[in-house]
Amino acid sequence: KLPYTKNTDNGWVGMVEHYFVAAWLPPDEKKAPREFYAKKLDGGLYSAGVIVPVGTIAPGATGEVRVPLYAGPQEQDELAKLAKGLDLVVDYGIFTVISAPLFWLLKWLYGLVHNWGWAIVLLTIIIKSVFYPLNHASARSMAKMKVIAPKLKALQEQYANDKQQLQIKMMEMYKQEKINPLGGCLPILVQIPVFIALYWVLLSAVELRNAPWIGWIHDLSAPDPFFVLPIVYAASAYLQVKLSPTPITDPVQAKVMQIMPIAFSVLFIFFPSGLVLYWLVNNILQIAQQWQMNRMLEREAAAKAAHRR
């Protein structure tokens, strides 16, 4: 990492904590020189500050240096008005280029519904709609895997003692059925940066602090007090696994895939309820899409079977 600039004629210095920031904001208009410093103190404490010159004061005269101090929430619009770059204390990391537009869209939706919880729901629906073509391709691939699952099981039993031949026969079946075994995973990989970017938006947005949604959810930045959202998420994730079988032949790996929803729901007990709400709505939409795709492919398979007769 590059060392920070110690001597310059502009800039501010601050300390950040979750949702809040405290910053000294020397004015930049006069381009007065200033020196920044940061020190490690005893007891695990740290000190950061800025030294500004007093200037020449005549004998018997007085002088003063005015440096505003901001201590408050990380509301990006307000911070941007106070000092150049101060809004960047809300750090989304390497996915800022994605997170910033998502946060703008979330605020715009809040302006429509005046509820941050419903704004998250609407944002999830919009993101899901944008990625519908990719999700459709993934769901179709996963649904095809469900249709040929009995054939795959028969192959596994037939070549239980010959793993190499099993792989060859499986690839032949994928080719015959026109299935890409990675077709269910690749579309998801494309969406991962958006998921991570939205994660940081929902985790960092001070607007969600003490923001109610419905009923028992009085603070979207705090965990669900009655664990309702994590439990419902676990049920939806388990149903999603059942509807979206993966091309896993190892029974141990298959069990792990079934246990994952429960493991995630345990983690979500400690997550902000706004984040869990996003994942829950995303899962419900994915289940609906996968169910519709399964029905469509089952009808297609039945039609092909009838045509052969």
Side-chain angles (χ1 to χ4, degrees), residues 300-309:
E300 290 179 3
K304 287 181 180 179
H307 181 71
R308 293 193 188 101
R309 295 173 190 163

Side-chain angles (χ1 to χ4, degrees), residues 44-109:
L45 300 177
Y46 294 83
S47 171
V50 57
I51 301 172
V52 294
V54 177
T56 302
I57 302 176
T62 60
E64 64 178 16
V65 175
R66 291 180 177 269
V67 179
L69 170 69
Y70 176 82
Q74 297 177 14
E75 296 178 350
Q76 296 180 49
D77 291 341
E78 296 301 321
L79 295 178
K81 297 175 184 177
L82 294 175
K84 182 179 179 180
L86 187 58
D87 55 315
L88 297 179
V89 296
V90 182
D91 186 10
Y92 300 126
I94 61 174
F95 295 108
T96 298
V97 67
I98 304 175
S99 297
L102 288 177
F103 179 67
W104 178 88
L105 181 57
L106 181 65
K107 287 198 302 180
W108 183 79
L109 292 171

Side-chain angles (χ1 to χ4, degrees), residues 33-53:
R34 64 204 65 180
E35 178 185 347
F36 296 101
Y37 67 88
K39 301 177 182 177
K40 183 178 181 181
L41 308 178
D42 295 334
L45 300 177
Y46 294 83
S47 171
V50 57
I51 301 172
V52 294

Side-chain angles (χ1 to χ4, degrees), residues 10 18 58 62 76 94 109 156 188 200 268 271 307 309:
N10 64 85
H18 197 195
T62 60
Q76 296 180 49
I94 61 174
L109 292 171
Q156 294 167 10
I188 296 175
W200 284 111
F268 283 167
F271 275 35
H307 181 71
R309 295 173 190 163

Side-chain angles (χ1 to χ4, degrees), residues 133-145:
L134 287 176
N135 287 324
H136 180 82
S138 175
R140 188 175 184 84
S141 177
M142 301 295 278
K144 283 184 176 181
M145 292 301 302

Side-chain angles (χ1 to χ4, degrees), residues 19-219:
Y19 296 136
F20 298 96
V21 58
W24 290 109
L25 309 172
D28 291 340
E29 290 79 7
K30 296 181 180 180
K31 297 296 181 181
R34 64 204 65 180
E35 178 185 347
F36 296 101
Y37 67 88
K39 301 177 182 177
K40 183 178 181 181
L41 308 178
D42 295 334
L45 300 177
Y46 294 83
S47 171
V50 57
I51 301 172
V52 294
V54 177
T56 302
I57 302 176
T62 60
E64 64 178 16
V65 175
R66 291 180 177 269
V67 179
L69 170 69
Y70 176 82
Q74 297 177 14
E75 296 178 350
Q76 296 180 49
D77 291 341
E78 296 301 321
L79 295 178
K81 297 175 184 177
L82 294 175
K84 182 179 179 180
L86 187 58
D87 55 315
L88 297 179
V89 296
V90 182
D91 186 10
Y92 300 126
I94 61 174
F95 295 108
T96 298
V97 67
I98 304 175
S99 297
L102 288 177
F103 179 67
W104 178 88
L105 181 57
L106 181 65
K107 287 198 302 180
W108 183 79
L109 292 171
Y110 172 77
L112 294 179
V113 298
H114 302 290
N115 182 292
W116 286 105
W118 291 119
I120 292 172
V121 173
L122 291 176
L123 180 62
T124 308
I125 294 174
I126 291 173
I127 293 175
K128 203 68 176 176
S129 301
V130 170
F131 284 115
Y132 178 80
L134 287 176
N135 287 324
H136 180 82
S138 175
R140 188 175 184 84
S141 177
M142 301 295 278
K144 283 184 176 181
M145 292 301 302
K146 181 179 177 68
V147 172
I148 69 168
K151 296 181 181 180
L152 286 175
K153 187 174 182 180
L155 284 177
Q156 294 167 10
E157 294 173 353
Q158 182 178 354
Y159 298 99
N161 299 321
D162 191 345
K163 298 296 184 182
Q164 184 176 357
Q165 191 65 20
L166 173 62
Q167 293 298 324
I168 294 174
K169 293 296 182 181
M170 287 176 60
M171 295 308 297
E172 289 178 355
M173 180 178 293
Y174 292 148
K175 186 176 181 180
Q176 180 182 354
E177 299 290 339
K178 298 180 179 179
I179 296 176
N180 181 359
L182 297 178
C185 301
L186 293 178
I188 296 175
L189 292 177
V190 175
Q191 302 175 57
I192 285 178
V194 177
F195 293 153
I196 296 176
L198 185 56
Y199 167 85
W200 284 111
V201 167
L202 298 179
L203 191 66
S204 305
V206 68
E207 287 80 0
L208 299 184
R209 187 173 184 268
N210 295 324
W213 177 40
I214 58 173
W216 72 102
I217 302 295
H218 303 293
D219 185 355

